[in-house]
Amino acid sequence: MPQPDRADVVAITGASGRIGRRIVGRLDRPGRMLRLIDTDLPDRLEDDDRWGPGLDADRVALRRASIEHERDIRSALDGADAVVHLAALASERPWADILRVNIDGTQKVLEAARLGGATRVLLASSIHAVGFADPTDAATTRVLVPRPDTFYGVSKAAVEALGSVYADRYGMSIVSARICNFGAGDRPGSGRGLAHWFSPADAARLVEAALALDDGRHHIVWGVSANAPNAFDLSAGRAIGFEPQDDAFALTADPDGVEPEPYTPSGPIGTMFTDDEHPLGGTW
């Protein structure tokens, strides 16, 4: 099999995680090599169906590596043109753990991507980087300034800052995606969950938009679908070619005409994670 051009090698950290499992299959296509990076991987692609059926083993490479280990992640990212960085602690943890994995780990990934020749990177940020923002501001402001609601949210604000410095210093095209309520299934929940829903298909569309960039800049965009309440200003994403197509409220429409639970914005967009029931450094 001919080796793909350098520009066709896409590395995905955290490929076995909740988001990775749902988007890897959607990124597979002729002429592209996917390099799946995680600490939990099968010995062979054929031995595992965690990414769903239909992945072409000839276009997929498996690399066991931790983002905490500089030598391993540099080897895993060497020669990749683009990096989709999903690996992280995905919820609140003690500060030392958040610092070690989410912040130091992301710096190691970006440095390895730079040294390995990658020119495009998508970083998984989070709504929790701006969790204390007001819903009205989220709906009307192109890019909110960081207002993290937890140490986890602080780490995602730091991820965005790292993306900015690597873009400005080295001319890499980097997108920080403030992921909202990622849909682990094909159908969202109700109420606020509908307004914040991010479908797997739209997540893949956002990755493709990031992979097509070549402007040497850093962009902060919402990782959310085009849900009917218009709870988020989607203009920054559309400016880089990300046009979400799914609408949680349309997907949950009852065949008998019963409307889904309405979305009534109230309180900070980080919801319960801004209150005393979720103390800094606790676990979710």
Side-chain angles (χ1 to χ4, degrees), residues 103-132:
I103 299 177
D104 285 349
T106 296
Q107 189 278 327
K108 288 181 174 66
V109 166
L110 284 167
E111 185 67 2
R114 178 184 76 85
L115 293 174
T119 58
R120 284 160 278 178
V121 178
L122 181 132
L123 300 172
S125 182
S126 170
I127 189 175
H128 295 289
V130 289
F132 271 106

Side-chain angles (χ1 to χ4, degrees), residues 7 30 50 60 67 70 111 127 133 135-136 140 150 154 161 172 226 228 232 237 245 270 272 275:
R50 70 186 69 184
V60 177
I67 63 172
E70 185 174 356
E111 185 67 2
I127 189 175
T136 299
T140 59
T150 48
V154 169
M172 300 167 73
F232 299 92
Q245 298 180 21
M272 59 186 176
D275 62 33

Side-chain angles (χ1 to χ4, degrees), residues 24-67:
V24 163
R26 291 176 165 89
L27 301 178
D28 180 33
R29 63 200 55 208
R32 173 182 289 172
M33 176 65 78
L34 295 178
R35 191 180 296 172
L36 308 186
I37 301 166
D38 210 313
T39 55
D40 173 26
L41 291 173
D43 292 329
R44 302 185 311 157
L45 187 66
E46 297 88 343
D47 296 336
D48 198 295
D49 64 353
R50 70 186 69 184
W51 298 286
L55 271 184
D56 190 328
D58 290 335
R59 296 198 295 266
V60 177
L62 304 175
R63 297 286 185 89
R64 286 195 184 95
S66 168
I67 63 172

Side-chain angles (χ1 to χ4, degrees), residues 22 26 183-188 197 200 251:
R22 297 307 305 273
R26 291 176 165 89
D186 291 326
R187 299 178 68 84
W197 187 60
L251 286 173

Side-chain angles (χ1 to χ4, degrees), residues 90-107:
S91 59
E92 183 73 335
R93 293 290 190 276
W95 175 252
D97 296 334
I98 289 288
L99 176 63
R100 185 185 74 254
V101 180
N102 290 11
I103 299 177
D104 285 349
T106 296
Q107 189 278 327

